[in-house]
């Protein structure tokens, strides 16, 4: 199943292709404020929706988000690229970077999850509360829980409305799919079983791990651990940020990304060449 996606910008010869991977609270629309910033900086931007998010339907069986993204990039002819992943999208980016060492030119993790992270008390409490709301059929309550949990104090009403809309859409699509497959169970929503362990020490790309001071402790700890686990990784904590800094202060995060990519990907080493078209 091809992932719903879009392409923006047109890199000069030897420019940088940048792949944006969204949080599971959102869909690819979360990158709306950053796409023009990256395109204006000379990057060609690819962004996609994971299965069950945005414009991509729920899967009909087990699947692997990282493999889906890799298949999309192969289909588009994107051979070398920088990865920017937010939250769950960061976890997917880590998987891709570890197994496509020679293809990934730079890696930015925005309040990223990690493949082997054991949830702490805060994240477990959130998961339990969300599960209880779902069990009670209270999707609206589950949406509001996510908005309250994942956005920091810098998020205005417009940003909260945007996240609310994206999360509600994902919940509605995924809930409808789960009901359709009952009583056969939630197979349509499952990821691939027995995903292989990820050796983060295999990542060779320059890596910037960003955390938010107002985020849950789990994600702050993951970001802090990256310099010990990914060779040459650097950690930066944003004192004003919650879990979704690219929505909370897009101009500041856009500058952070473009500055990092300028240094991390020397001119002439980041592009795939040729024009790309997509839907």
């Amino acid at each position: 199943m091809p992932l719903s996606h879009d392409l923006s910008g047109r890199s000069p010869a030897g420019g940088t292709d940048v792949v944006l991977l969204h949080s599971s609270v959102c869909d690819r629309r979360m990158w709306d404020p950053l796409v023009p910033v990256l395109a204006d900086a000379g990057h060609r931007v690819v962004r996609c929706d994971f299965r069950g998010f945005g414009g991509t339907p729920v899967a009909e069986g087990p699947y692997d988000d990282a493999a889906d993204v890799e298949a999309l990039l192969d289909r588009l002819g994107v051979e070398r690229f920088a990865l920017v992943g937010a939250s769950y999208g960061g976890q997917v980016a880590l998987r891709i970077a570890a197994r496509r060492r020679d293809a990934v030119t730079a890696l930015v993790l925005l309040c990223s999850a990690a493949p082997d992270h054991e949830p702490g008390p805060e994240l477990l409490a959130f998961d339990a509360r969300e599960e209880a709301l779902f069990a009670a059929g209270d999707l609206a309550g589950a949406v509001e829980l996510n908005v309250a949990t994942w956005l920091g104090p810098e998020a205005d009403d417009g940003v909260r409305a945007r996240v609310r809309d994206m999360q509600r859409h994902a919940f509605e699509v995924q809930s409808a799919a789960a009901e359709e497959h009952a009583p056969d169970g939630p197979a349509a929503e499952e990821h691939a079983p027995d995903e292989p362990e990820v050796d983060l020490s295999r990542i060779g790309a320059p890596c910037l791990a960003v955390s938010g001071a107002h985020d849950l402790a789990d994600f702050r700890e993951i970001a802090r651990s990256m310099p010990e686990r990914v060779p040459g990784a650097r950690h930066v904590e944003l004192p004003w940020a919650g879990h979704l800094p690219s929505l909370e202060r897009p101009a500041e995060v856009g500058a952070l990304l473009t500055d990092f990519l300028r240094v991390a990907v020397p001119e002439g080493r980041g592009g795939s060449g040729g024009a790309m078209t997509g839907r």
Side-chain angles (χ1 to χ4, degrees):
M1 175 197 303
L3 302 179
S4 180
H5 65 280
D6 57 62
L7 311 168
S8 302
R10 187 180 180 88
S11 296
T16 305
D17 292 325
V18 180
V19 180
L20 305 177
L21 303 178
H22 65 81
S23 161
S24 61
V25 185
C26 304
D27 54 47
R28 77 180 191 266
R29 291 175 290 172
M30 73 169 289
W31 302 114
D32 284 352
L34 289 189
V35 167
V37 175
L38 292 167
D40 288 348
H43 302 299
R44 183 167 48 189
V45 182
V46 183
R47 56 177 176 164
C48 59
D49 289 324
F50 297 132
R51 299 192 194 217
F53 294 87
T56 304
V58 171
E60 296 181 356
Y63 64 99
D64 178 348
D65 285 310
D68 283 345
V69 173
E70 291 173 316
L72 172 65
L73 297 177
D74 288 345
R75 179 170 168 249
L76 296 173
V78 179
E79 298 175 354
R80 290 174 57 78
F81 49 90
L83 284 169
V84 179
S87 189
Y88 175 69
Q91 178 173 312
V92 176
L94 285 167
R95 288 190 176 280
I96 296 171
R99 62 197 193 194
R100 287 209 173 185
R101 177 185 174 95
D102 294 334
V104 178
T105 59
L107 177 63
V108 180
L109 305 170
L110 298 175
C111 303
S112 179
D116 56 357
H117 178 70
E118 292 292 333
E122 284 185 298
L123 190 54
L124 287 171
F126 167 82
D127 288 341
R129 178 60 179 152
E130 186 183 60
E131 184 176 344
L133 290 167
F134 267 101
D138 187 1
L139 289 188
V143 168
E144 293 308 315
L145 173 66
N146 277 270
V147 172
T149 301
W150 303 122
L151 286 170
E154 293 284 330
D156 60 24
D157 289 344
V159 170
R160 293 179 184 278
R162 185 179 301 170
V163 172
R164 186 176 291 115
D165 178 62
M166 289 185 283
Q167 181 68 95
R168 182 186 299 112
H169 175 76
F171 281 163
E172 290 173 350
V173 169
Q174 294 161 16
S175 296
E179 291 178 7
E180 181 180 346
H181 286 81
D184 297 328
E189 297 180 63
E190 293 178 355
H191 289 69
D194 302 323
E195 289 183 335
E197 292 186 5
V198 180
D199 181 1
L200 300 187
S201 68
R202 283 185 45 80
I203 296 174
C207 175
L208 177 65
V210 179
S211 60
H214 297 276
D215 198 2
L216 269 59
D218 292 76
F219 300 99
R220 297 178 68 191
E221 176 55 35
I222 289 168
R224 283 195 295 265
S225 74
M226 283 299 134
E228 301 172 2
R229 306 188 64 194
V230 176
R234 180 165 63 95
H235 169 231
V236 172
E237 180 153 288
L238 304 176
W240 48 266
H243 188 63
L244 299 170
S246 64
L247 285 167
E248 295 164 17
R249 285 195 189 179
E252 187 165 328
V253 173
L256 182 68
L257 293 184
T258 53
D259 288 347
F260 175 73
L261 291 173
R262 186 179 304 114
V263 174
V265 187
E267 185 175 354
R269 295 187 59 188
S272 303
M276 294 196 300
T277 58
R279 56 181 182 165

